[in-house]
Amino acid sequence: MRIGIKYRVFLAMLAATATVVLCMWLIVQWSINRGFLRYVNTLEQQRLENLATDLEQAYAEHGGWAFLGADPLIWVRLRVRTPPGEAVDPARLERFERWRARETQDSRNDQRHQPFERRVLLLDGDRRPLLAAPEPAAAVDLRPLRQAGHPIGYLGLVPRQTTFDTYQVQFVRQQELALALIAGATLLISALIALPLAQRLVRPLKTLAAATHRLSAGAYETRVPVAGDDELGQLARDFNTLALTLEKNEEARRQWVADISHELRTPLAVLRGEIEALQDGVRPDGPEALRSLHAEVLHLNRLVDDLYQLALSDLGALSYRKERLDLAAELKDAVELFRPAFAAKDLILAAHIPAAPANILADAERLRQLFNNLLDNSLKYTEPGGRLELRLETQGDAALIHIQDTAPGVPAADLERLFDRLYRVEASRRRAAAPPGLGLAICRNIVEAHEGSIHAAPAPLGGLAIHIRLPLAGGSA
């Protein structure tokens, strides 16, 4: 049988309460029995003190203990403290006579369960019993009776081990019944409180379980209400964060598939149109047609290659063979490689690279890929007659690379997404022949693989500024 978590929590709380109540009931019951017994024994000790005083007075009046045998009623009056001349309670007298008749038999009974009158021991000066059943001295504390400073006898009382009197037993039973009623009421109240409390504690968990089931089924818009700042509230916030992340990832995946389809469709459509034109004789077959087809194939090849490189980078499968390199020298080589292309497009390429080396631990091939992508991106989108400025500087234990160009720029709202895959601001950065939207994403992965950072910002020249931070190797300037 499967028990739900609500009832498990309820049973656990109820079991804990029942254990505490049972322990309290046993301890209080033991305390009442022991405490009441001590109280009764204290009262009887006080009665014993009074009886000792009366016996000492009677001994002085009669000159010995012979009066006890001559008039048994005197012993009864002394034990029940009945003044001389008053009649003895008939019930007590009858009880005394029955005791005298069974004296021999009662001496063999356990005197610890008898009433006060039957547990009193009176011994003479030689410790011989006087009208009382003998009790071993080891079991009874004897109080000496004195006359003129000399012992005339000994008086003792066998202490109670349990209550015997009917009223005393009835009182103890009433207390035990009250304790049992209190324990039962406590358990009932605990059960009435524990069930709704367990239900309240489990309700957020059930809500989270149902939401998790919907989330696993693909409903990424699922959210759960957040109530409180405790652990359950934090769990609900974490769940909502997870759902939001999954929702964004799903949207990015769909957008990624749509963007790839769009980018692949364009060169394929051009190729198809070119080939169909050749087949229909609309376009003559010759070197010019082959050059056009070759350009589209190269376009498609570069797009597929960038997709492959980006996929490897995302998977962490790009190979990096890091070694100690001079970042300034690598950057100079990249700039010199692109100078002819910039000059052909009527663009000024200004590089401010210090002569001092800036040593870093990096992969030379990946660094060249990084610089080529950035310079190529600026070359394609900067308007003719513009300018590109590149600056390298060191700051503490890091090398800083600043690249900025002239118009067109990128709106501030789009700067955060500029490094996303296949993202392009169509309205401000004109489309070029090369496959766009992947170069900057690859650049970010390369920089992060070198434990650096890269971000975009508006350029003072009116275009786009790219800032790169790379850690310097030990011992570099």
Side-chain angles (χ1 to χ4, degrees):
M1 179 180 179
R2 181 177 178 271
I3 302 178
I5 187 173
K6 177 179 73 174
Y7 294 104
R8 291 183 185 180
V9 174
F10 166 71
L11 292 176
M13 297 174 64
L14 190 61
T17 304
T19 302
V20 173
V21 170
L22 178 61
C23 293
M24 291 180 60
W25 185 79
L26 292 175
I27 293 173
V28 172
Q29 185 185 37
W30 175 82
S31 177
I32 287 179
N33 289 332
R34 298 287 296 177
F36 187 74
L37 187 60
R38 286 195 299 269
Y39 169 73
V40 172
N41 285 331
T42 301
L43 292 180
E44 290 185 344
Q45 288 296 326
Q46 183 63 41
R47 290 181 63 184
L48 191 68
E49 291 295 327
N50 295 332
L51 178 59
T53 302
D54 293 342
L55 285 173
E56 289 174 344
Q57 292 177 357
Y59 184 90
E61 291 174 1
H62 295 87
W65 298 113
F67 70 92
L68 294 175
D71 185 7
L73 292 180
I74 293 178
W75 175 239
V76 176
R77 287 190 180 96
L78 288 171
R79 288 191 296 183
V80 299
R81 303 208 76 185
T82 302
E86 292 186 11
V88 179
D89 185 2
R92 289 187 178 272
L93 180 60
E94 181 182 359
R95 210 162 121 198
F96 175 77
E97 293 297 335
R98 288 199 305 269
W99 174 74
R100 288 292 302 269
R102 300 194 304 272
E103 186 178 24
T104 303
Q105 178 181 356
D106 289 345
S107 64
R108 295 191 297 268
N109 293 339
D110 187 0
Q111 295 186 10
R112 295 173 299 176
H113 299 280
Q114 297 173 359
F116 176 82
E117 293 84 355
R118 303 283 289 278
R119 291 182 288 108
V120 174
L121 300 178
L122 178 61
L123 308 179
D124 62 9
D126 297 327
R127 295 181 181 272
R128 292 189 298 266
L130 297 172
L131 301 177
E135 179 70 16
V140 180
D141 291 331
L142 297 178
R143 180 192 183 283
L145 303 176
R146 299 182 181 277
Q147 189 72 38
H150 300 286
I152 59 175
Y154 298 91
L155 185 65
L157 178 67
V158 178
R160 289 179 182 269
Q161 299 298 321
T162 60
T163 56
F164 179 79
D165 186 83
T166 303
Y167 296 105
Q168 296 172 357
V169 173
Q170 184 178 3
F171 172 78
V172 173
R173 294 292 179 266
Q174 288 176 350
Q175 300 305 310
E176 292 177 348
L177 178 61
L179 284 175
L181 292 176
I182 292 174
T186 302
L187 285 177
L188 179 60
I189 294 173
S190 175
L192 294 177
I193 295 176
L195 186 60
L197 182 60
Q199 186 174 0
R200 177 168 182 171
L201 289 174
V202 172
R203 187 183 299 118
L205 297 179
K206 294 176 68 176
T207 302
L208 279 171
T212 303
H213 181 73
R214 293 194 301 272
L215 190 65
S216 63
Y220 300 119
E221 72 282 358
T222 303
R223 300 291 186 273
V224 295
V226 178
D229 295 328
D230 55 4
E231 288 80 358
L232 291 176
Q234 184 61 43
L235 181 60
R237 282 188 289 270
D238 292 342
F239 176 87
N240 291 338
T241 301
L242 173 63
L244 179 61
T245 302
L246 292 175
E247 185 178 16
K248 289 183 177 180
N249 289 341
E250 178 63 15
E251 292 177 357
R253 185 190 66 81
R254 293 177 180 176
Q255 185 64 39
W256 169 245
V257 173
D259 290 342
I260 291 177
S261 301
H262 174 74
E263 295 297 333
L264 291 176
R265 185 183 296 113
T266 301
L268 288 175
V270 173
L271 281 174
R272 179 182 177 181
E274 293 279 353
I275 294 173
E276 289 178 352
L278 291 173
Q279 289 176 340
D280 296 340
V282 176
R283 184 173 182 179
D285 187 7
E288 186 63 28
L290 292 177
R291 280 195 298 271
S292 177
L293 292 175
H294 185 258
E296 293 301 328
V297 170
L298 290 179
H299 183 187
L300 184 60
N301 184 74
R302 283 193 297 268
L303 177 58
V304 173
D305 185 64
D306 282 349
L307 289 173
Y308 177 71
Q309 292 291 326
L310 185 59
L312 290 180
S313 179
D314 288 341
L315 293 174
L318 277 180
S319 60
Y320 287 87
R321 297 179 178 86
K322 295 182 180 180
E323 57 183 334
R324 193 181 183 90
L325 299 174
D326 182 6
L327 181 61
E330 295 293 333
L331 197 54
K332 288 178 182 178
D333 292 342
V335 170
E336 295 303 321
L337 181 65
F338 272 82
R339 281 196 184 278
F342 273 79
K345 196 178 175 181
D346 193 20
L347 294 174
I348 299 175
L349 178 55
H352 306 280
I353 302 175
N359 295 325
I360 64 172
L361 191 64
D363 184 306
E365 181 180 353
R366 298 304 172 193
L367 277 185
R368 285 192 289 269
Q369 185 179 8
L370 168 66
F371 299 148
N372 290 344
N373 285 346
L374 294 175
L375 292 173
D376 184 65
N377 182 74
S378 182
L379 175 64
K380 291 170 182 174
Y381 294 118
T382 305
E383 295 177 350
R387 178 184 180 87
L388 171 69
E389 289 188 0
L390 187 148
R391 182 182 301 275
L392 171 65
E393 62 182 2
T394 58
Q395 187 179 84
D397 59 351
L400 305 179
I401 302 174
H402 307 285
I403 302 175
Q404 60 172 323
D405 55 23
T406 53
V410 176
D414 295 318
L415 290 174
E416 291 292 331
R417 298 189 57 192
L418 200 59
F419 294 94
D420 292 348
R421 307 176 184 110
L422 296 174
Y423 182 76
R424 186 207 327 269
V425 186
E426 297 288 352
S428 59
R429 306 290 283 189
R430 294 193 305 272
R431 183 186 181 96
L438 294 176
L440 291 180
I442 295 175
C443 289
R444 178 178 60 184
N445 289 349
I446 293 175
V447 171
E448 291 177 352
H450 286 82
E451 301 179 2
S453 61
I454 182 172
H455 69 277
L461 298 178
L464 178 67
I466 302 293
H467 303 285
I468 302 173
R469 182 185 183 92
L470 294 173
L472 291 172
S476 60

